[in-house]
Amino acid sequence: MKIYYVSHPFTGNEKKNRKDARRITAMLKKAHPQYIFINPLDAMRYTTGLPYEDSLEQCLELLAICDGIIMTGKWKDSEGCTRECVSAALAGKKITELGDWI
């Protein structure tokens, strides 16, 4: 079974971004029940207080176990999302955007 990491911006409007990422992940799961979708904004929910770099490193570790990454939201404006995308590319993972799935 394939596992996909759903990359979405977080900083700036954390509450809205977490809600949007959750909605997108639920939509992906409903449309593609044969896959597992990982929403790192929920997975990292309890890392409050960790320095940004430490949280991002944990996200990259989570990404490492996934088969691919789905870039969502205004990811090109997000430092974290662009770093996740670069990490996925370096690891040879499948990189797609949300529009490729819906």
Side-chain angles (χ1 to χ4, degrees), residues 37-50:
F37 297 96
I38 303 292
N39 173 3
L41 299 190
D42 277 342
M44 296 295 121
R45 180 176 203 116
Y46 303 104
T47 62
T48 54
L50 274 181

Side-chain angles (χ1 to χ4, degrees), residues 29-92:
K29 185 61 177 179
K30 185 174 182 180
H32 305 278
Q34 71 274 28
Y35 300 124
I36 296 172
F37 297 96
I38 303 292
N39 173 3
L41 299 190
D42 277 342
M44 296 295 121
R45 180 176 203 116
Y46 303 104
T47 62
T48 54
L50 274 181
Y52 176 81
E53 286 299 319
D54 292 346
S55 292
L56 184 57
E57 282 300 316
Q58 290 186 16
C59 287
L60 295 177
E61 285 294 322
L62 185 58
L63 172 58
I65 66 168
C66 296
D67 297 293
I69 187 170
I70 304 169
M71 308 308 298
T72 70
K74 294 183 179 181
W75 72 269
K76 291 179 182 176
D77 298 332
S78 165
E79 177 187 347
C81 290
T82 55
R83 286 178 60 186
E84 289 168 342
C85 188
V86 167
S87 180
L90 291 172

